[in-house]
Every structure is written in structure tokens, then in C-alpha cells.
Amino acid sequence: MMARLPESLSAESLLARTVRAIRGADSTALEAARSRQQLLTKPEGSLGLLEDLSIRLAGMYGQVPETVPSHPVVGLFAGDHGVWAQGVSPDPQEITTQQMVNMAAGGAAISVLSRQMGAQLWITDVGARHEVDAPIRQRCVRRGTDDISQGPAMSLDEAVQALEVGIETGVEAVEQGADILVTGEMGIANTTPASALISVFTGLPPAEVTGKGAGSDDRRHQHKIGVVARALQVNRPDAEHPVEALAKVGGLEHAAMTGFILAAASLRIPVLIDGVIACSAALTATAICPRARDFVITSHAGAEPGITATTSALGLPALLDLGMRLGEGSGAILALPIVQASAHILNEMATFEDAEVTDIKVSGETDIPDAVQASIPPCRALILGGARSGKSTFAESRLPRDSCVTYVATSQRNSGDAEWEERIRLHQARRPATWHTVETTDIASVLLADDESPMLVDCLGVWMTRILDEVGAWTAAPGDQTWQNDLKGHVDELTDAIRRTRRDVTFVSNEVGMGVVPDTPAGRLFRDELGRLNAAVGQACDEVWMCVAGIPKRWA
């Protein structure tokens, strides 16, 4: 995984040297942590995300027993934005500097939470419109960005300077004893450039990643989506050139937070992110150096759709969802005790041998008396959701990560479609090594195979697209319905196999009523047939779930 830096950047620049220093998670420590988790006095997987997090921490710190992070530093970066002039925020821009003063005085939410968690709060002015008379770090690159709806936010050199402010801050924090970094930010209108960056690095349209921000109504929200779309059209940022993209549509605090994340990765310590601004920085950092992902911990899900899009793209589920939408790093610092707890569990929990507790994995299960022998029926679940709703991440979280799972990928590889190939790569990267991937449309055969491992089918929407192609529905003349019998045969074969299978199986599908379907004959055809398929599969399943904004709810 090659780093993506501007060709004009000096190899001896701080940014280039930092990126070169980033190595992925320590594979030896990861394996040692996985092995230890197997020995602890609990059923495998019973502590959920705490177990995964403890293993990831071991890979970050490179040791087992692992470091319990106890010296956090919140790196909070502030900047202003020229796009504010487009009316994307109801708040006056003066609040940026006023809040920095409030933060430094200890009166802001992040100030209170940092004190509670024993964290140092480092406030850095990297691009506020006005100079702040308060005890903060003065590292201003320029006084606010230009309007991204009219042209680039800043020059490439300014973006690199802001990135290096973040790197210097992270390095200084670690040199002074920090063993975990926490991202924070302040900047009125900064969710607009954040949405633009998230759109660039996820490939999703602005409407799917742009939220209301702080306090906007529906009318302003629609206007904001249009401003983001205009910024992308005017500047044409390219995900293959992330630093240039950051200069075109990002902000100075976004750049500094990106550098802060890269610094953490280069120094092999975790960095907690939350909020849509931090998410855009994390996507930028991992676009610059994909190995940086190994050191990112996503803390709070939040209300912004860009957060869900980011956690899905990174394959890193959030630890909390408290309905917060403040930013500042407030959600990230709240997750610190969970991170500490995961490390304590791995380090201090007794093993079966230490506690003289029978390990069922070694001794074997106790037999069921013959008189009460009964087979447990398989669990068949359908998980629905709109685009980037978190449905795939939720489906994967229901399955064991340290034992065999059959992952049925219904998508078709297309080397000519770079964006589609990148989505497939991201999905593959987040699957555990113990999972076995099968790329096929013949789901029924896999369901009925002589195999008892759980199955995950992702997704039925893509499967329907390919089956419609196979039966000739897309090219049929108007009024020609002969293909429908062939389609019905495929659907009946699938639902019959669902009812007959002895395997636990989870299906992921698009809820077409919540998505944007092109108002064309092909779009309506797909919508109707996928709706019928979802209904048929739902009838054959034991559970039906709906994911909305990353939050799953069971409906049946």
C-alpha cells in the first residue's frame, strides 16, 4: 500500500518523513493478543467489541501485555472557512474565536470532559479568521480559507504547512508523555468542507454524506448539499491525490487533524476520533497512507451521515452512540474509559488454567442426554438498509471473527471500474483471515452445501442486478414479460434453499424504499423486483432488521 504524496513534496519534508515512518499493526502482537483472548475465562466473543479493540491495541503498541493508555492529549485545532459566506451555517463566524477563549478558560464541553478524563487539552489556532487573545497554541497558517464553492480552499503549500502543524503537535504530545491522542476541532461551517472530503474519499454523492451540522433546518440543509456539490464540481478533487484534494476542498483544521492522526500512526500509538470533521481527517490520513488506519479508533457514531459513511469505509465500528452532535472531540474523549477497559481485560483477566475453570474449547461440550436430543434450527436473518446505512458493518458484527464464516460476495469484479474495485478491496480488507469468501450468484448451492459454518450474503441488491441481466430483463422489448418466469425460478430456488438450509445465514439487502432509484424504466424495474425479492426472503427468514443512520432495529 503506497503512500500518496504530491510529487513536488521534498523527500526530507516533515510530512514525507512521517509517512515513511508509518508501519502497520504488529502482526506478532496481534496474534499473541488473539491467542490470549482464547484463554480468558469467558465464552469466546462474549465481550464483543472490547475483545476486538484489545487485539487492535496490542497491534498498535506492539506488545502483550499491552499498554493501558493513561496519558491522553486532546489535540484541538481551530480554523475558519470562506464557504461560510454561502450561508451554510446559521451561526456567526465570530463564535470560532469566542469558543476558543471559552475552551481555554475551561468552560466548553471538551474542557469539562478533558478534566474529568485526566486529559490535557491543547488548543491550536491553525486558521481562525481573527487572532485569539487566550493561552492557546498560535500556529496560524493563514486567516481562514477561501470559499470552496468558488475555487480552492488554500494552496498546496498551505495545506502541507497545516498538515505539519498537526504532525508537530502530535510528536510534541508524545514526547511529553502522551500514550493516546484524541482529535478535536472548532470552526463554524467546518462540516461543509468535511462533507466534501468524505464525498471525495468514499465516492458517495454529497446528498448521502452531508448532514445538517449544528442547528440547520431542512431548507438550509438542502442548500448546503448544493454548495458541497458545487465545490466538488468547481475544484474536481481526486481521491488518488489526497493532499491536493485537501487543499482544494478541505479546511486548515481538517489538515492539522490529518497530520495529528499521521503522527500517532508514525509513533505507534492509538488516536481516538469522533465527529464528521475528525472522520474527514481520518479518511484523508488513510488516503495519504493506508497503514494509518491500523491506529485509528472510531469512538462516537454521531448524527451526521458522513460519520456512518466513514466508519463503513474504514471498516471500524463506533464504540458509542449517545445522540451527540457537538464535535470538539467530546465523543472521542468519552470513549477513553472503554479503550482502557479493553486493555485491562486482556492484561488482567484470568485464564482458564490460572483460575482452574474448565475450558469448554479444550475439554469438549457436555453431551445432551439421548432422551432430550433435539437439533437447534438455523437462524436466518435479513438486514435491510439504504446506501451507507451501516447494514454490512452490522451484519459482520453478528458473526464470529475468530472462526470460519462463509462470505458470499454477489458482486462481479470489474477491473475497468476503479471505484467499484476499491469498494470491494475495502470490504475484503476488513474480513477476518478465518472467513472464506465465495464469489457467486448461485447462493442456493452454498446454502445447501455440506457445511455447518455460518454464512453472510452481501448483498441481494447486487444479486438481483446480475440475475435481471442473466434473464434478459434489461434488454427485453417493452411489454415482453417472458423473462419473468425465469426470474421467478431463481427467486423460488433461493427461498426454498433458505427454508431447507441447516446453516445460520445472514442476508444483506438494499431497502429500495429508502434509496434514490433513477426514475427510468430500468430503475423502476430494479426497484420493483428487489422489493419483491426482499419480501420473499423476509418471509423465509426468522429475523428482519432495518439499519438507519448506522443504528439497527429489529422489525420481525
Side-chain angles (χ1 to χ4, degrees):
M1 294 182 285
M2 297 294 292
R4 298 167 176 169
L5 293 172
E7 292 181 2
S8 60
L9 189 69
S10 166
E12 296 308 310
S13 69
L14 177 59
L15 175 58
R17 287 186 282 112
T18 299
V19 169
R20 283 201 304 272
I22 297 174
R23 301 289 181 267
D26 186 300
S27 58
T28 302
L30 287 172
E31 187 55 40
R34 287 194 191 97
S35 298
R36 179 165 173 78
Q37 279 287 356
Q38 296 285 317
L39 303 176
L40 302 181
T41 49
K42 58 176 175 57
E44 182 180 346
S46 59
L47 287 176
L49 289 178
L50 281 180
E51 297 185 16
D52 292 338
L53 182 54
S54 72
I55 293 169
R56 292 194 66 221
L57 283 173
M60 297 177 201
Y61 289 122
Q63 60 187 40
V64 176
E66 64 195 18
T67 300
V68 178
S70 56
H71 296 92
V73 168
V74 180
L76 189 147
F77 301 93
D80 279 315
H81 303 271
V83 75
W84 174 84
Q86 297 298 322
V88 293
S89 171
D91 299 320
Q93 206 164 29
E94 291 77 13
I95 290 178
T96 299
T97 51
Q98 292 167 358
Q99 268 294 83
M100 277 195 281
V101 174
N102 185 30
M103 289 169 174
I110 188 59
S111 312
V112 174
L113 293 172
S114 295
R115 284 198 301 273
Q116 179 191 346
M117 300 298 174
Q120 295 183 49
L121 174 60
W122 291 16
I123 305 164
T124 302
D125 176 5
V126 70
R129 182 70 64 186
H130 304 289
E131 188 172 345
V132 179
D133 183 14
I136 67 172
R137 296 163 59 88
Q138 301 289 348
R139 302 288 190 279
C140 188
V141 173
R142 56 175 286 178
R143 290 296 171 197
T145 59
D146 292 328
D147 184 351
I148 60 172
S149 71
Q150 305 299 314
M154 64 191 102
S155 70
L156 181 60
D157 285 346
E158 288 166 340
V160 172
Q161 287 178 53
L163 279 160
E164 293 187 343
V165 167
I167 293 171
E168 290 168 351
T169 305
V171 170
E172 185 179 345
V174 174
E175 287 176 346
Q176 293 189 22
D179 51 19
I180 186 168
L181 300 183
V182 183
T183 61
E185 44 69 32
M186 183 61 221
I188 298 302
N190 62 6
T191 60
T192 299
S195 299
L197 289 170
I198 292 171
S199 180
V200 170
F201 294 119
T202 64
L204 293 171
E208 291 187 26
V209 300
T210 305
K212 290 185 177 181
S216 294
D217 57 18
D218 290 341
R219 179 172 168 273
R220 196 185 298 270
H221 180 213
Q222 290 303 311
H223 170 67
K224 180 178 173 183
I225 292 171
V227 170
V228 173
R230 189 158 66 249
L232 297 177
Q233 183 179 24
V234 167
N235 292 289
R236 299 192 179 280
D238 183 355
E240 293 296 313
H241 301 283
V243 179
E244 291 89 338
L246 179 63
K248 288 178 177 180
V249 297
L252 293 155
E253 73 269 43
H254 302 73
M257 292 172 77
T258 299
F260 198 62
I261 293 167
L262 292 172
S266 71
L267 298 167
R268 307 197 63 81
I269 66 169
V271 56
L272 275 163
I273 69 165
D274 83 323
V276 72
I277 318 302
C279 283
S280 69
L283 287 174
T284 308
T286 55
I288 293 171
C289 183
R291 290 184 297 269
R293 174 195 175 276
D294 290 350
F295 299 88
V296 173
I297 300 174
T298 49
S299 59
H300 190 271
E304 290 279 308
I307 300 175
T308 304
T310 299
T311 56
S312 179
L314 293 175
L316 297 173
L319 301 175
L320 297 170
D321 188 353
L322 302 176
M324 296 165 58
R325 54 187 180 88
L326 174 64
E328 299 181 3
S330 53
I333 194 64
L334 280 172
L336 178 63
I338 296 176
V339 178
Q340 294 169 328
S342 72
H344 280 297
I345 286 289
L346 185 72
N347 291 349
E348 300 171 24
M349 195 170 174
T351 66
F352 286 101
E353 183 179 359
D354 293 338
E356 298 182 348
V357 174
T358 300
D359 184 355
I360 191 173
K361 297 188 294 298
V362 175
S363 62
E365 299 180 10
T366 56
D367 292 333
I368 301 174
D370 292 341
V372 294
Q373 282 279 1
S375 62
I376 300 174
C379 177
R380 296 156 294 198
L382 172 64
I383 298 174
L384 299 167
R388 297 296 178 180
S389 62
K391 57 186 182 295
S392 293
T393 300
F394 171 63
E396 292 170 12
S397 74
R398 290 164 49 94
L399 295 164
R401 301 190 66 81
D402 294 320
S403 57
C404 183
V405 171
T406 301
Y407 185 103
V408 179
T410 60
S411 59
Q412 190 171 21
R413 304 303 295 267
N414 182 0
S415 59
D417 188 338
E419 189 270 340
W420 187 247
E421 287 291 296
E422 178 64 11
R423 289 196 185 197
I424 292 174
R425 185 194 68 76
L426 289 171
H427 272 268
Q428 290 174 330
R430 73 185 193 212
R431 290 175 214 155
T434 53
W435 290 19
H436 171 58
T437 299
V438 178
E439 296 183 358
T440 183
T441 57
D442 190 4
I443 303 171
S445 294
V446 185
L447 285 165
L448 300 177
D450 187 17
D451 187 341
E452 294 185 356
S453 65
M455 279 179 61
L456 172 58
V457 180
D458 195 356
C459 75
L460 291 179
V462 176
W463 181 82
M464 175 55 73
T465 301
R466 296 183 66 185
I467 297 302
L468 286 170
D469 186 49
E470 185 177 322
V471 302
W474 303 122
T475 56
D480 180 2
Q481 303 294 315
T482 55
W483 54 268
Q484 287 190 334
N485 286 333
D486 290 338
L487 176 63
K488 184 177 184 300
H490 283 287
V491 174
D492 289 346
E493 180 185 30
L494 174 60
T495 54
D496 177 66
I498 295 171
R499 292 185 173 95
R500 291 168 53 200
T501 188
R502 295 178 299 168
R503 309 174 71 168
D504 291 343
V505 58
T506 301
F507 294 93
V508 176
S509 188
N510 299 96
E511 173 45 59
V512 289
M514 301 179 69
V516 178
V517 177
D519 189 19
T520 62
R524 291 189 290 272
L525 169 64
F526 172 75
R527 176 198 62 198
D528 294 346
E529 296 303 336
L530 181 57
R532 294 187 184 102
L533 173 65
N534 287 343
V537 171
Q539 287 290 327
C541 285
D542 309 296
E543 302 176 5
V544 177
W545 293 76
M546 177 72 75
C547 283
V548 179
I551 303 171
K553 296 290 184 183
R554 183 171 174 176
W555 290 92

